[in-house]
Amino acid sequence: MKLARSFASLAAAALIALGVAPVTGARAADVPYDPPPAAVQAPAATDGWRFISPFEACEMNCTATLFVGRYISTPMTDIFIKYKTPPWNWKTKDSTLVSGAFNREILTYSDLFAFETEIGAGKRFGAQDEWEVWGALYARWKSFPWNDYLRTTIAVSTGVNYASDVSRIEVEKSEKHQSKVLHYLSPEITFGLPSQPNLDLVFRFHHRSGGNLGIFNGTGGGSQYQTVGLRYRW
């Protein structure tokens, strides 16, 4: 019986030391008590819609991009709608655009897509020598099955583009109606390495035109450049 009591005492002491048995009586004051750790809070869910205030600090949702590109005279409809002309058959003219843009995400849905605001400016050289400035809203799709190997996004914009003057090329495209202010529609595709999340290679079809709309003085033509750019994200 004494041996059984000894084992029982040792077992009780062990349980008390492990914190799985209560300490009672006068001996409780002799045994230190550690409260159980607080429950760990699960991280907030990131799925669903998220609005990002423009006054928040950037958290890999701000970008700056530098572009350079050549003037493309092949109609945009032949390239993106009718699919009549592959890139190696696009016609060009002697004009170059050098530009830059700043983007910021303002609304996201999970990791699938995002809406971004953009402001940009560019300088034409060659057959056109005007300045351009624009503001736009981009919608970007970000989810592709191969993103673990090559990060890919596609995006398209709607916005307003202002040129410092109406060029001779734009007059030839729309002889009866011209406007310095035209619609900005510039689809793009980006590629990046997962190991370099701050850098992207960007291919953008920089396009401004009036679409024969009254808001742009019935202008039917515009200017467009196929550009390539390097984007930095922070």
Side-chain angles (χ1 to χ4, degrees), residues 34-106:
D34 293 325
V40 178
Q41 297 293 328
T46 58
D47 292 338
W49 292 100
R50 180 194 173 205
F51 171 74
I52 303 169
S53 169
F55 302 105
E56 291 182 17
C58 295
E59 297 178 349
M60 294 299 285
N61 51 20
C62 299
T63 66
T65 314
L66 292 177
F67 298 94
V68 62
R70 194 71 169 169
Y71 186 92
I72 302 296
S73 58
T74 302
M76 190 180 194
T77 53
D78 288 355
I79 296 173
F80 292 103
I81 299 177
K82 298 178 182 178
Y83 306 108
K84 291 172 55 177
T85 310
W88 50 87
N89 288 333
W90 292 356
K91 296 180 181 179
T92 65
K93 286 189 177 182
D94 182 21
S95 181
T96 300
L97 176 71
V98 178
S99 63
F102 170 80
N103 288 58
R104 170 148 195 168
E105 291 182 351
I106 58 170

Side-chain angles (χ1 to χ4, degrees):
M1 291 296 292
K2 292 182 179 181
L3 183 62
R5 290 195 191 96
S6 298
F7 276 114
S9 299
L10 288 174
L15 291 174
I16 292 171
L18 292 173
V20 297
V23 180
T24 58
R27 300 178 60 85
D30 301 331
V31 180
Y33 173 72
D34 293 325
V40 178
Q41 297 293 328
T46 58
D47 292 338
W49 292 100
R50 180 194 173 205
F51 171 74
I52 303 169
S53 169
F55 302 105
E56 291 182 17
C58 295
E59 297 178 349
M60 294 299 285
N61 51 20
C62 299
T63 66
T65 314
L66 292 177
F67 298 94
V68 62
R70 194 71 169 169
Y71 186 92
I72 302 296
S73 58
T74 302
M76 190 180 194
T77 53
D78 288 355
I79 296 173
F80 292 103
I81 299 177
K82 298 178 182 178
Y83 306 108
K84 291 172 55 177
T85 310
W88 50 87
N89 288 333
W90 292 356
K91 296 180 181 179
T92 65
K93 286 189 177 182
D94 182 21
S95 181
T96 300
L97 176 71
V98 178
S99 63
F102 170 80
N103 288 58
R104 170 148 195 168
E105 291 182 351
I106 58 170
L107 185 65
T108 64
Y109 184 80
S110 187
D111 294 326
L112 296 180
F113 61 87
F115 291 98
E116 307 166 5
T117 54
E118 175 176 295
I119 56 173
K123 178 67 171 70
R124 304 169 180 171
F125 298 92
Q128 300 190 113
D129 61 0
E130 297 77 23
W131 284 89
E132 291 186 23
V133 294
W134 63 89
L137 176 69
Y138 268 88
R140 183 177 307 279
W141 183 263
K142 302 190 291 184
S143 179
F144 290 91
W146 55 83
N147 275 2
D148 288 341
Y149 308 96
L150 182 66
R151 291 185 295 103
T152 306
T153 75
I154 57 173
V156 66
S157 71
T158 183
V160 176
N161 178 292
Y162 172 83
S164 59
D165 201 357
V166 178
S167 69
R168 176 181 56 82
I169 291 177
E170 292 189 1
V171 171
E172 291 174 352
K173 284 188 172 184
S174 183
E175 295 181 354
K176 296 182 179 180
H177 303 276
Q178 295 92 38
S179 175
K180 293 182 181 180
V181 179
L182 295 175
H183 183 235
Y184 185 70
L185 174 64
S186 294
E188 70 172 35
I189 184 170
T190 75
F191 300 102
L193 297 176
S195 60
Q196 299 290 333
N198 297 93
L199 296 176
D200 287 320
L201 183 66
V202 187
F203 295 94
R204 173 179 291 190
F205 198 83
H206 178 100
H207 176 91
R208 61 175 245 130
S209 65
N212 296 307
L213 298 175
I215 192 174
F216 301 116
N217 192 35
T219 304
S223 296
Q224 57 188 21
Y225 294 80
Q226 176 53 54
T227 68
V228 60
L230 183 63
R231 174 167 292 162
Y232 179 76
R233 182 181 306 278
W234 73 96

